[in-house]
Amino acid sequence: MSSQATQLKIGFGMRNSFVLRDFPLERVRNIGIIAHIDAGKTTATERILYYVGRTYKVGDVDEGTTVMDWMQQERERGITITAAATTCYWREHRINIIDTPGHVDFTAEVERCLRVLDGGVVVLDAVAGVESQSETVWRQADRYGVPRICFVNKMDRAGADFQRTVTMIEERLQAKTLMIQLPLFTEDLFQGTIDLVENKALFFSGEPNTPPMEAAIPESQSSSVAKHRQALIEKLAENDDQLMLAYLEGGDITSSQLKAAIRKLTLANRMVPILCGSALRNRGIQPLIEAIVGYLPSPLDRPPVRAIAPETGVEVFRQPSDEAPFSALAFKAVSDPFMGKLVYLRVYSGRVKTGGQVFNATRGVKERVGRLFLMHANRREEVKQADTGSIVATLGFKRTLTGDTLCDLSDPVLLESIRFPEPVLSVAVEPRDEADQDKLIDVLAKLIEEDPTISIRHDQETGQTIISGMGELHLEILRERTLREFGVKVKAGKPQVAYRETIAVPVEVEGRFIRQFGGRGQYGHVWLRLEPGERGSGFKFFDRVQGGAIPKEYIPAVEVGIKEALESGVVAGYPVVDIKATLYGGSFHEVDSSEVAFKMAGSIALKNGLSKAKPILLEPIMKLEAVTPAPFLGDIIGDLNSRRGRIGGIETRADTCIVSAFVPLSESFGYATNLRSLSQGRATHSMEFYCYEEVGPDLAKQIAAGSK
């Protein structure tokens, strides 16, 4: 290190009693830490919290001492299962952070968090690069237009390749990158970073309490750094008119000009700044915090939130201001065994106070705010009010669920809700003690309120309670939680695939429901046109009745009857999806017609039509990515082929191969164990739901026979 090196004074946050400090809205940051599993999200979050002064001790995932992974299952498994929120301060900025899961089974946690966040930090493994779940969370962030910065983590590991990771970001994520840092190595050891914006080097000792040392760029790297800095300036100038003018005039471009251009392009989602470091070794975290407050948006930098006026259906906008009418989105609900239901809110406009009354516009009910809390993972710190831009939790809401809009009583609006994927795996559960049957149903109902990707149904034929979720780990965690949090022991059957049914050809069918009981009878008569819809489109109903053939008041009943009949198909009794039903005719009786009769007629028509429209069975297909040493590639491909898998591509990196494939969910059970066996424990994999596809006729017959 240069003898001219000096200590860089980077201020720590204040480790004193925590209160909600009021800052101008432009100094508020709502960010999420998102990534593939095992990329180091939670480790990075723990280091951020330590350096801003929010915690007194550096948490460790391997030792189970992290603050953000607070659940017992998280600490035992070393993975994040549920998103955890906290609030901290850095250089007169308030930063609300949500640490999200990386496992695909818990991707709904990422979905609901990105819906309410303003910016994201995408953590990438410098050895593995862009992995499958990295692509998934990137697409989720794209969907909500969330500006991002990338932190290439684990630069201290053997095989770390910063440049290759940046190239993967550009190719696999289709992102335009801005390398604002370069890794700094001394004798092949990662020692720090080179700041291309400030044109200086930062050395990190690895000790958490030792500030980084600022130094001149080493002579051996000066030419390479100059080339990369020039490339950064040119890339910024190409996309920023003010900087282009300064560049063409040939004057010196200052670091403040570069930072302004980087922030502008990041907020517009046109560029993604790339930083690097090693969270575990305490290297690169302070510059990452500086980038969070410097480049990621405040609520004022995001477009005003769009909403619908429920009474008129007209689109309105809520400005991010404490003086605007109150509006907030409930993005998470947690069932606390001791305190009751805790609802997390993102406040988009206005203020809310303890004891105040708000309107749930989604459900049309009033709710009273019992208590307000700033959350620090599972710890609660009570506050008296929450202002615009806040992420808080509240007690006292009785009917509010995930995705509901809370707003001012006198100025109601409906915010866009949150979309969640459908569950793909089911298992039958029953309590070990029959006396716990009613308690189990209550516990499952609470877990469903908390996690919308869980569903529950009662099988009338077998008498079983069936719960459905996103994967084997998801269902396993649910069973553990029923015991650990609510004291109910459960037995579970083998996992069952959530098949679906649909139709292949359009048909026109009649439905008649006519009953005579001596007095007033029942009369309902409809004509339906059933057509296959696009995959993933769900059920759509169209009213094309003309000439008053069916009175308007009976048409909703027809739709209800059709929906109820869709719950059980004719092939194997699975729900029917991706179908369009058009009501175009029928007749009624002035005395005997009723809503019940037309509901039954719609149901009968649908059942008749399913049998005639060439019903087919659909199965969930998983997108699988296996990372294996090259010698085991042949065995792994052979195993995937035996599971009816389709190989999508094979990528080679040094002596490692990445296999992308599409595998039916029904064939994926036990794959982790088999993969370890085939590769002597050296291969890893990840899976996520991809789509539903038609099952072949022979296999469909087997599935239908098994279901019966």
Side-chain angles (χ1 to χ4, degrees):
M1 192 180 302
S2 168
S3 60
Q4 298 175 338
T6 56
Q7 281 199 350
L8 178 66
K9 296 180 180 178
I10 294 184
F12 284 74
M14 297 180 63
R15 289 190 174 92
N16 53 15
S17 57
F18 193 81
V19 294
L20 180 61
R21 281 185 255 161
D22 192 19
F23 288 113
L25 204 52
E26 61 268 19
R27 292 181 176 268
V28 174
R29 301 290 183 270
N30 290 311
I31 64 150
I33 314 293
I34 58 177
H36 184 91
I37 188 172
D38 203 32
K41 295 180 311 304
T42 300
T43 301
T45 307
E46 294 292 320
R47 297 313 187 266
I48 290 172
L49 295 179
Y50 182 79
Y51 284 118
V52 301
R54 189 68 171 94
T55 57
Y56 293 85
K57 183 180 177 183
V58 177
D60 189 285
V61 172
D62 294 332
E63 295 177 4
T65 57
T66 57
V67 172
M68 301 304 274
D69 282 352
W70 58 271
M71 290 176 64
Q72 189 174 349
Q73 295 99 316
E74 292 177 315
R75 294 184 169 181
E76 289 173 355
R77 298 169 186 269
I79 63 171
T80 302
I81 293 171
T82 182
T86 188
T87 297
C88 57
Y89 302 113
W90 177 263
R91 296 197 185 282
E92 299 304 316
H93 285 77
R94 189 169 85 207
I95 309 174
N96 299 315
I97 301 175
I98 299 182
D99 178 32
T100 64
H103 196 285
V104 65
D105 282 14
F106 310 105
T107 190
E109 288 284 307
V110 185
E111 184 80 22
R112 64 167 138 207
C113 293
L114 286 174
R115 167 66 183 82
V116 298
L117 291 171
D118 298 323
V121 177
V122 182
V123 181
L124 299 163
D125 186 328
V127 179
V130 176
E131 300 172 89
S132 58
Q133 189 66 5
S134 308
E135 295 184 64
T136 300
V137 298
W138 195 272
R139 289 195 301 270
Q140 289 173 307
D142 279 342
R143 186 157 56 245
Y144 295 113
V146 176
R148 280 142 276 174
I149 60 176
C150 288
F151 181 68
V152 180
N153 192 26
K154 303 190 179 183
M155 286 301 306
D156 60 307
R157 289 183 57 198
D161 192 328
F162 179 69
Q163 188 60 58
R164 189 198 68 211
T165 303
V166 173
T167 301
M168 292 178 70
I169 294 171
E170 293 172 342
E171 293 177 350
R172 294 185 65 169
L173 303 180
Q174 299 295 302
K176 292 183 178 180
T177 61
L178 286 171
M179 282 195 297
I180 62 174
Q181 286 183 354
L182 293 176
L184 180 59
F185 291 91
T186 303
E187 296 179 353
D188 295 330
L189 293 177
F190 177 67
Q191 297 289 347
T193 61
I194 294 173
D195 187 334
L196 294 177
V197 178
E198 298 282 358
N199 203 25
K200 65 185 179 184
L202 289 177
F203 288 87
F204 298 86
S205 70
E207 291 298 322
N209 293 321
T210 303
M213 302 288 287
E214 183 181 313
I217 295 167
E219 286 290 332
S220 60
Q221 292 184 252
S222 59
S223 61
S224 173
V225 169
K227 187 176 81 171
H228 279 95
R229 190 170 193 270
Q230 184 64 24
L232 172 64
I233 292 172
E234 290 176 358
K235 189 179 283 190
L236 288 170
E238 289 172 3
N239 293 275
D240 185 275
D241 293 339
Q242 291 181 338
L243 201 63
M244 173 62 81
L245 185 61
Y247 180 71
L248 292 175
E249 289 175 351
D252 289 336
I253 295 177
T254 65
S255 60
S256 59
Q257 287 176 299
L258 292 179
K259 288 178 180 178
I262 293 169
R263 177 174 176 79
K264 180 180 176 181
L265 292 170
T266 304
L267 298 185
N269 261 322
R270 293 170 59 191
M271 292 284 187
V272 180
I274 312 293
L275 300 91
C276 61
S278 170
L280 185 64
R281 306 298 174 201
N282 305 300
R283 294 187 170 112
I285 300 300
Q286 295 98 325
L288 173 61
I289 304 170
E290 294 287 353
I292 288 170
V293 299
Y295 302 134
L296 289 180
S298 73
L300 290 175
D301 296 314
R302 301 285 284 152
V305 64
R306 293 191 299 176
I308 299 293
E311 294 182 359
T312 62
V314 175
E315 185 178 65
V316 295
F317 294 90
R318 279 285 188 262
Q319 298 293 332
S321 167
D322 289 341
E323 310 309 318
F326 171 70
S327 66
L329 188 73
F331 68 94
K332 183 179 173 74
V334 177
S335 296
D336 189 300
F338 304 103
M339 299 189 70
K341 186 166 72 172
L342 201 62
V343 177
Y344 286 70
L345 301 178
R346 159 66 197 265
V347 181
Y348 283 100
S349 62
R351 287 190 173 104
V352 62
K353 295 183 179 181
T354 298
Q357 196 172 61
V358 296
F359 182 62
N360 183 325
T362 306
R363 309 198 178 275
V365 296
K366 296 177 183 178
E367 294 273 33
R368 182 166 293 281
V369 180
R371 298 164 71 187
L372 287 170
F373 301 100
L374 282 179
M375 299 301 297
H376 184 45
N378 63 325
R379 302 172 191 170
R380 295 174 290 270
E381 292 155 341
E382 191 163 358
V383 294
K384 296 301 181 184
Q385 75 169 19
D387 54 10
T388 299
S390 296
I391 292 178
V392 293
T394 180
L395 284 172
F397 289 171
K398 300 185 182 300
R399 297 180 62 181
T400 298
L401 300 176
T402 299
D404 287 0
T405 299
L406 286 308
C407 57
D408 196 289
L409 286 163
S410 60
D411 195 351
V413 290
L414 269 173
L415 302 174
E416 180 188 355
S417 190
I418 307 170
R419 295 172 293 176
F420 292 104
E422 290 291 323
V424 296
L425 197 64
S426 303
V427 65
V429 295
E430 61 182 48
R432 292 186 181 276
D433 186 345
E434 290 186 8
D436 284 338
Q437 181 64 47
D438 290 340
K439 188 176 180 182
L440 175 62
I441 299 300
D442 291 340
V443 169
L444 291 176
K446 290 179 180 178
L447 292 175
I448 290 171
E449 276 192 5
E450 185 173 323
D451 186 348
T453 59
I454 305 168
S455 67
I456 179 174
R457 66 182 176 88
H458 185 73
D459 192 312
Q460 297 289 349
E461 295 183 3
T462 64
Q464 292 178 310
T465 299
I466 309 294
I467 60 170
S468 301
M470 300 305 298
E472 291 180 89
L473 179 62
H474 192 200
L475 294 175
E476 185 180 337
I477 295 295
L478 286 178
R479 295 196 299 273
E480 288 182 8
R481 291 188 63 190
T482 61
L483 173 61
R484 296 187 182 191
E485 295 179 27
F486 301 97
V488 179
K489 294 182 178 180
V490 297
K491 296 185 292 183
K494 292 182 179 180
Q496 301 172 345
V497 179
Y499 293 102
R500 297 288 185 264
E501 297 182 24
T502 191
I503 59 175
V505 298
V507 294
E508 295 186 354
V509 289
E510 183 182 27
R512 286 178 177 270
F513 183 74
I514 302 174
R515 296 287 186 274
Q516 195 65 43
F517 304 105
R520 180 177 175 179
Q522 295 283 356
Y523 184 97
H525 173 221
V526 299
W527 277 97
L528 291 181
R529 183 182 301 109
L530 303 179
E531 301 170 272
E534 294 182 3
R535 201 68 77 232
S537 61
F539 167 67
K540 294 181 179 179
F541 177 79
F542 302 96
D543 172 18
R544 297 292 184 267
V545 176
Q546 296 180 347
I550 300 175
K552 290 289 184 185
E553 62 265 28
Y554 297 141
I555 290 175
V558 177
E559 182 178 2
V560 171
I562 295 171
K563 284 183 177 179
E564 289 184 0
L566 289 173
E567 293 177 3
S568 177
V570 296
V571 178
Y574 292 102
V576 181
V577 296
D578 304 340
I579 189 170
K580 293 187 286 187
T582 303
L583 176 64
Y584 68 92
S587 61
F588 73 101
H589 189 280
E590 291 185 358
V591 176
D592 293 346
S593 287
S594 65
E595 290 185 0
V596 172
F598 274 96
K599 175 183 169 183
M600 293 300 299
S603 179
I604 292 167
L606 191 281
K607 288 294 185 184
N608 291 341
L610 291 180
S611 302
K612 298 175 182 178
K614 293 187 179 179
I616 57 176
L617 197 65
L618 303 174
E619 65 177 340
I621 303 296
M622 308 300 288
K623 182 181 179 183
L624 180 147
E625 184 175 274
V627 181
T628 176
F632 309 112
L633 178 62
D635 290 339
I636 289 173
I637 290 177
D639 180 63
L640 289 172
N641 288 332
S642 71
R643 295 172 181 269
R644 295 192 287 126
R646 300 194 314 273
I647 306 300
I650 301 173
E651 183 182 344
T652 303
R653 301 180 200 156
D655 60 346
T656 301
C657 297
I658 297 93
V659 182
S660 298
F662 302 93
V663 182
L665 176 62
S666 61
E667 304 287 351
S668 70
F669 300 141
Y671 182 73
T673 302
N674 211 41
L675 184 66
R676 285 194 294 268
S677 176
L678 290 172
S679 64
Q680 300 175 12
R682 295 173 62 190
T684 60
H685 83 290
S686 61
M687 275 192 293
E688 62 176 315
F689 171 73
Y690 182 66
C691 68
Y692 272 93
E693 289 184 0
E694 181 179 351
V695 177
D698 293 338
L699 183 58
K701 289 179 182 178
Q702 295 178 25
I703 295 169
S707 69
K708 293 175 182 176

